[in-house]
């Protein structure tokens, strides 16, 4: 065990296994913190060395408040599968072809996890909470004689849509990439194009259907499923998914809202590459609700030419903005190429001279920025973490989806919740570095979408009002007595009952 501290056996011991990707690990570490705050609960995180380093500031701040989270390190077999030493997170994978190697390395962690659960950790673990990517967690939990809970980092709406798309085989009837079809079985009308649906239903990709079948079986065998969402926003989809999967479902989000202190918001995720004080001072100098925050996530793989179009569109919108330029990890070549293109165009020079924008290369404290009163809109790639953080801040969004669940989240924002404006992306792009996705969105598209989001008029004001109301519901969900707060207690009691009944 990672500490010499003696812990009473009667405490309920949860072991938490996050997947090695920022969009997965950040909310699951937040969940681990929430568990650890509860009485009579012990939490142990299983992390590889590089990912342990990334979350040390978060764990340190929790410890300062008397919330102890234990850590056991897993040796990540990067070199054994042909990856560079220290390549322990998805955003560090050097190129697209090596993604399969990375996934193979994660599967090789099974013997270490088994050994920890069965022999090394004390007191005896009573529950394994694992990211849904870890298929081996089912066998590990079975051998250890403990319940397994799956943590889904994606919205329930997305899972329900993809379930009905796949089980109905409706894509067999749709040949054109841009032909709309209605998703069968949904509680209300939801339409996608074939291209938009691909992210979660890639029936043409070899092995994908078999992989999805394994996911379904993994869910059915689980003790329950956890979603980072909240009842007031997704009640219908949560209950419908509960029926189709015939298992327990708990909504516990938005977990980002449990980070209330300044330091917690800053330390969430990787270390910031921007001076936090500088960023705060710049925002403090802006009028309330006037700034656009633009960030396309930690796995952004747009070409330099497409990134320049985005920058020029932000500039042309006439709005003040913070633009976080990410490349997925530390891609110095991509950063250098873009800065050279910026220099040729004079973009950064004009932005700096006017004082109207702040361009950040790398990582920024997103939750802190989104919660600042000066920010009035969010241009996002629609990853679920970012989407939910924007919702929690009460911000309407300009949507620029890439892949996987991004188009589903765009559908939720724009068509269901009606707090989003599409920038106009139509094609799913491939995940990973070294992928040329071309130019889908031009500067005029960006300019027009931002003006639509931030401008005046009845519909624009109504959109902003809906966003604010949704944020209030999110905050109530995590407060004492709220649905998400109560569900945390239900998870603990359900696991306690299982262990008592199985004795």
């Amino acid at each position: 065990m990672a500490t010499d501290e003696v812990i009473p056996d009667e405490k309920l011991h949860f072991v938490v296994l996050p997947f090695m990707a920022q969009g997965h690990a950040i909310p699951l570490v937040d969940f681990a913190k929430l568990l650890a705050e509860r009485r009579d609960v012990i939490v142990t995180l299983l992390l590889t060395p590089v990912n342990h380093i990334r979350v040390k500031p978060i764990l340190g701040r929790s410890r300062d408040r008397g919330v102890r989270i234990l850590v056991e390190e897993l040796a990540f077999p990067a070199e054994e599968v042909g990856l560079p030493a220290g390549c322990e997170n998805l955003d560090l994978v050097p190129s697209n072809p090596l993604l399969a190697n990375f996934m193979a390395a994660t599967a090789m962690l099974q013997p270490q996890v088994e050994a920890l659960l069965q022999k090394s950790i004390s007191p005896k673990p009573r529950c394994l909470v694992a990211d849904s990517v870890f298929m081996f967690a089912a066998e590990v939990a079975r051998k250890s004689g403990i319940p397994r809970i799956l943590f889904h980092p994606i919205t329930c709406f997305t899972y329900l849509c993809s379930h009905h798309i796949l089980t109905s085989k409706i894509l067999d009837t749709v040949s054109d990439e841009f032909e709309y079809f209605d998703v069968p079985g949904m509680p209300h009308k939801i339409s996608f194009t074939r291209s938009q649906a691909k992210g979660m239903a890639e029936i043409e990709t070899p092995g994908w259907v078999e992989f999805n079948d394994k996911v379904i079986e993994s869910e059915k065998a689980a003790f329950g499923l956890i979603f980072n969402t909240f009842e007031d926003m997704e009640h219908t989809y949560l209950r419908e998914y509960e029926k189709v999967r015939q298992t327990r479902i708990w909504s516990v989000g938005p977990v980002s809202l449990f980070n209330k202190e300044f330091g917690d918001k800053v330390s969430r995720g990787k270390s910031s590459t921007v001076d936090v004080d500088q960023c705060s001072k710049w925002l403090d100098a802006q009028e309330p609700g006037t700034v656009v925050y633009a960030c396309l996530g930690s796995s952004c793989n747009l070409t330099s030419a497409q990134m320049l179009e985005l920058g020029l569109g932000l500039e042309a919108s006439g709005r003040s903005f913070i633009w976080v330029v990410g490349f997925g990890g530390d891609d110095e070549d991509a950063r250098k190429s873009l800065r050279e293109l910026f220099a040729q165009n004079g973009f950064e020079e004009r932005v700096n001279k006017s004082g109207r924008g702040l361009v950040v290369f790398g990582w920024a404290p997103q939750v802190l920025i989104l919660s600042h009163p000066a920010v009035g809109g969010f241009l996002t790639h629609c990853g679920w973490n970012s989407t939910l953080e924007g919702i929690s801040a009460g911000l309407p969004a300009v949507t620029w989806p890439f892949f996987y669940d991004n188009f589903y989240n765009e559908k939720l924002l724009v068509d269901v919740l009606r707090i989003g404006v599409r920038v106009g992306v139509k094609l799913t792009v491939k995940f990973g570095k070294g992928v040329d996705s071309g130019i889908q969105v031009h500067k005029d598209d960006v300019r027009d979408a931002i003006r639509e989001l931030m401008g005046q008029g009845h519909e624009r004001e109504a959109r902003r009002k809906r966003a604010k109301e949704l944020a209030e519901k999110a905050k109530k969900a995590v407060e004492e007595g709220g649905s998400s707060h109560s569900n945390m207690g239900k998870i603990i009691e359900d696991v306690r009952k299982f262990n008592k009944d199985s004795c």
Side-chain angles (χ1 to χ4, degrees):
M1 200 159 100
T3 179
D4 295 329
E5 179 184 357
V6 177
I7 300 173
D9 286 343
E10 65 268 16
K11 283 203 169 191
L12 203 61
H13 191 179
F14 285 80
V15 176
V16 179
L17 178 61
F19 181 61
M20 301 80 178
Q22 292 301 96
H24 291 245
I26 290 173
L28 193 41
V29 170
D30 276 342
F31 172 78
K33 287 166 53 183
L34 296 176
L35 267 181
E37 289 177 356
R38 298 290 176 129
R39 293 176 55 190
D40 300 327
V41 171
I42 310 163
V43 177
T44 296
L45 272 172
L46 304 185
L47 300 169
T48 67
V50 168
N51 292 288
H52 187 187
I53 290 170
R54 287 187 176 187
V55 302
K56 271 187 175 179
I58 300 170
L59 302 183
R61 289 189 57 78
S62 293
R63 189 179 301 111
D64 291 343
R65 292 198 297 270
V67 179
R68 186 70 179 271
I69 299 175
L70 307 178
V71 175
E72 293 285 350
E73 286 197 351
L74 303 171
F76 194 76
E79 293 174 280
E80 291 179 42
V81 297
L83 293 170
C87 183
E88 300 176 14
N89 196 287
L90 201 62
D91 63 15
L92 297 175
V93 178
S95 63
N96 213 39
L98 290 174
L99 292 172
N101 304 54
F102 183 84
M103 295 306 297
T106 63
M108 291 166 64
L109 296 172
Q110 180 173 347
Q112 293 182 68
V113 176
E114 283 185 5
L116 283 168
L117 289 179
Q118 295 176 30
K119 301 173 184 177
S120 304
I121 300 179
S122 176
K124 175 180 168 58
R126 298 298 179 182
C127 181
L128 174 62
V129 181
D131 189 287
S132 55
V133 171
F134 289 111
M135 297 295 181
F136 67 71
E139 186 178 357
V140 169
R142 181 183 59 78
K143 288 182 178 179
S144 303
I146 61 175
R148 171 186 58 108
I149 296 176
L150 289 185
F151 186 92
H152 280 313
I154 298 175
T155 168
C156 193
F157 169 81
T158 293
Y159 272 96
L160 186 62
C161 284
S162 62
H163 166 82
H164 286 309
I165 290 170
L166 288 164
T167 55
S168 69
K169 299 187 183 300
I170 191 169
L171 289 183
D172 292 346
T173 69
V174 183
S175 56
D176 189 284
E177 287 289 292
F178 305 113
E179 178 185 349
Y180 277 93
F181 65 90
D182 293 342
V183 180
M186 291 297 287
H188 51 81
K189 182 180 173 68
I190 296 290
S191 300
F192 283 93
T193 66
R194 185 184 182 88
S195 179
Q196 292 170 344
K198 270 185 180 180
M200 295 292 292
E202 300 198 42
I203 58 173
E204 298 159 1
T205 302
W208 197 93
V209 174
E210 291 78 6
F211 173 79
N212 187 70
D213 289 342
K214 289 180 180 178
V215 171
I216 292 173
E217 291 306 311
S218 176
E219 285 190 353
K220 287 180 178 178
F223 182 69
L225 313 177
I226 294 173
F227 283 93
N228 181 21
T229 188
F230 58 101
E231 283 285 339
D232 269 347
M233 183 172 68
E234 287 208 83
H235 175 80
T236 300
Y237 310 122
L238 289 162
R239 300 292 76 80
E240 285 293 316
Y241 201 66
E242 207 166 37
K243 289 178 185 176
V244 300
R245 286 292 188 259
Q246 297 181 337
T247 189
R248 302 172 185 83
I249 288 181
W250 306 278
S251 57
V252 300
V255 292
S256 61
L257 282 179
F258 289 95
N259 297 285
K260 293 180 169 53
E261 296 185 13
F262 179 87
D264 292 331
K265 294 177 182 179
V266 170
S267 62
R268 194 168 183 262
K270 294 189 288 187
S271 297
S272 176
T273 52
V274 63
D275 184 288
V276 176
D277 288 337
Q278 176 197 0
C279 185
S280 295
K281 287 178 182 177
W282 187 87
L283 284 167
D284 289 342
Q286 312 303 317
E287 293 295 321
T290 60
V291 175
V292 176
Y293 173 68
C295 179
L296 297 181
S298 59
S299 299
C300 178
N301 62 350
L302 298 181
T303 61
S304 293
Q306 177 64 93
M307 295 284 261
L308 179 60
E309 289 293 317
L310 168 55
L312 294 176
L314 287 166
E315 184 183 21
S317 72
R319 293 284 176 173
S320 297
F321 63 89
I322 294 180
W323 179 20
V324 178
V325 184
F327 297 99
D330 302 310
D331 195 333
E332 290 297 334
D333 290 338
R335 184 178 288 110
K336 182 180 178 182
S337 173
L338 183 57
R339 298 206 86 144
E340 288 174 354
L341 190 59
F342 280 179
Q344 293 169 13
N345 183 271
F347 170 74
E348 270 194 280
E349 183 181 353
R350 291 194 307 274
V351 169
N352 291 335
K353 187 176 181 179
S354 68
R356 201 164 53 75
L358 191 61
V359 181
V360 178
F361 283 83
W363 189 270
Q366 181 162 289
V367 171
L368 182 70
I369 293 171
L370 291 173
S371 62
H372 196 284
V375 178
F378 183 17
L379 190 154
T380 174
H381 69 300
C382 301
W384 185 237
N385 275 348
S386 291
T387 299
L388 199 53
E389 287 163 9
I391 287 170
S392 301
L395 297 175
V398 170
T399 59
W400 187 320
F402 290 164
F403 37 58
Y404 293 157
D405 63 324
N406 296 175
F407 280 95
Y408 292 75
N409 296 334
E410 178 184 61
K411 188 71 61 175
L412 183 68
L413 284 171
V414 178
D415 296 338
V416 179
L417 302 176
R418 295 186 298 141
I419 60 171
V421 174
R422 291 181 175 87
V423 79
V425 179
K426 294 181 179 180
L427 282 170
T428 299
V429 300
K430 290 186 178 296
F431 175 83
K433 297 175 186 175
V435 177
D436 187 350
S437 55
I439 296 178
Q440 286 199 61
V441 179
H442 295 275
K443 67 176 184 180
D444 290 352
D445 300 318
V446 178
R447 177 199 64 198
D448 293 347
I450 290 174
R451 288 180 176 176
E452 170 62 26
L453 191 81
M454 304 289 286
Q456 301 303 310
H458 176 73
E459 178 50 36
R460 294 160 182 168
E461 295 293 341
R463 186 186 298 119
R464 286 192 279 271
K465 182 181 178 183
R466 287 191 290 270
K468 295 294 184 187
E469 290 173 346
L470 195 57
E472 287 303 312
K473 292 177 181 178
K475 290 180 177 66
K476 287 180 181 177
V478 301
E479 292 173 354
E480 188 169 352
S483 59
S484 296
H485 186 275
S486 298
N487 281 336
M488 289 296 299
K490 288 177 183 177
I491 292 169
I492 294 168
E493 289 311 308
D494 286 346
V495 170
R496 192 182 301 281
K497 184 177 186 301
F498 174 91
N499 280 276
K500 184 178 179 181
D501 293 344
S502 61
C503 288

